[in-house]
Amino acid sequence: MAINSVNVLFTHALADTALSAKQKEVLKASLVLFSEQGFDRTSTSDIAKKAGVSEGTVYKQFKTKEGILAAILKPFAQSVIPTAASEFVTMISSTSYPSLEEFLRHVVQNRMQFAKENKLQLKIFAQELLHNTELVQALEAEIKPKLIKQMGQVLEYYQKQGQLVAWPAVRIFRYVISVVFSYLVPYLLLELPLDVEEASQEAVEFLLGGLSPATK
Amino acid sequence: MAINSVNVLFTHALADTALSAKQKEVLKASLVLFSEQGFDRTSTSDIAKKAGVSEGTVYKQFKTKEGILAAILKPFAQSVIPTAASEFVTMISSTSYPSLEEFLRHVVQNRMQFAKENKLQLKIFAQELLHNTELVQALEAEIKPKLIKQMGQVLEYYQKQGQLVAWPAVRIFRYVISVVFSYLVPYLLLELPLDVEEASQEAVEFLLGGLSPATK
DNA sequence: TAATAATAAGTGAGTGCTCACTTATTATAA
DNA sequence: TTATAATAAGTGAGCACTCACTTATTATTA
């Protein structure tokens, strides 16, 4: 059921691509198998079988098994950090800024929803991060400046307003991201349900306390 | 250097066991290879070569490759949550309770130090968690009650004192653990240095803000 | 339109190789 | 000498990937 809905979303994303129906089946089967068993424990014959195609078909489009992985993770990786055109920026660049609470709730909720819709990709991604050091370095180099550029001035605004503690942006990101993950990890690993509305509410309540300027 | 010191610690832990010198070498080699390349991408012949023994010797003690993994992870898993005999409890059960800040700093610092000393095991452990669903379930079932039993009354104490917000224990654990991990993840994945003293200081500063009873 | 040609997509039985694990042989120790 | 420890040479299953060939689709011509 949960997997189905993920598949529906993935299928939808696949619609834009120039892949044939069978090649899409290959990607869908790989998505499920990689996330369930891990990349290394999934054979190309497993993939072919689940996709209902021959092994030759698998290799017609994707030259290597790694190529299949890349085809799944590339579009995912590029949407982990929402682009400058995203809602975040439009939300902020409007004449009236929302409160820090509203802003945080929006960001947290948005990313939790994203994680929910990309559950399988996230699991595969995490596996890859753990034994692909170069990938980690490359991501760090790309994502961190992007994040700071996009969010940096927003944070500054709230800091000048006195709504946000005057810590470096990196430190604030660290806490926001980790608290979001504190709700995602049980969902990803234990298959527990995740109520995004409730979770983001809770998370923001905590974050606001920790990120408000000192009353100490 | 960092790996060396880890090895020194691991070697020390190995001293108590009834393993022969060569069998200990097997475990040390496996620890490094599994953490660097992952379990699936490490062959038993790699292990034998690095340990300076034959492949037969590897299999004399450890019946399977999985058996090697278990020999590494079992003692680690059991020390992730410190036992009831640990410092935590003695710290608390003394007649004068420390402040929440002191208590938090001690816990956070202690676990960060532990992570630093068990860096390679942690990496292997994380890999395993991602595609071993049963293991995750088993850990959840064992660790969660243990954690609540040990820490539950301590939290209650601070809540009654008005130092700690009256949230369920699970929610408080969630935030403390995730903030600790926010410092560990860059250390583990990006090989960045980790100053435990400084990091725990920072972490607690944030946690105290978020976990103090509402001033809202 | 119908017939033919050209291209693309798909197949499945290989192929060489790696791997976890075994076993026959040799070194060491009691 | 006998028992134990260690080795090094297997062994067969499974793997990623290939390739000669077939089928489906599209373009071209009469």
Side-chain angles (χ1 to χ4, degrees), chain A residues 28-78:
Chain A
K28 288 201 282 177
S30 301
L31 177 70
V32 173
L33 290 175
F34 287 167
S35 74
E36 281 177 353
Q37 317 178 350
F39 177 80
D40 290 311
R41 293 175 193 182
T42 301
S43 72
T44 48
S45 90
D46 285 345
I47 294 170
K49 208 170 289 167
K50 189 176 181 79
V53 303
S54 75
E55 220 173 323
T57 301
V58 172
Y59 279 91
K60 203 74 179 195
Q61 175 69 24
F62 310 102
K63 303 309 171 195
T64 65
K65 194 180 148 190
E66 298 261 357
I68 305 175
L69 185 66
I72 290 174
L73 289 186
K74 228 174 199 174
F76 169 76
Q78 281 170 346

Side-chain angles (χ1 to χ4, degrees), chain B residues 7 22 45 50 62 66 92 105 117 131 163 193 204 215:
Chain B
N7 263 339
K22 297 209 172 187
S45 88
K50 188 174 181 81
F62 310 102
E66 298 261 357
I92 288 300
R105 181 151 43 237
E117 287 165 5
H131 38 225
Q163 293 185 58
V204 169
T215 41

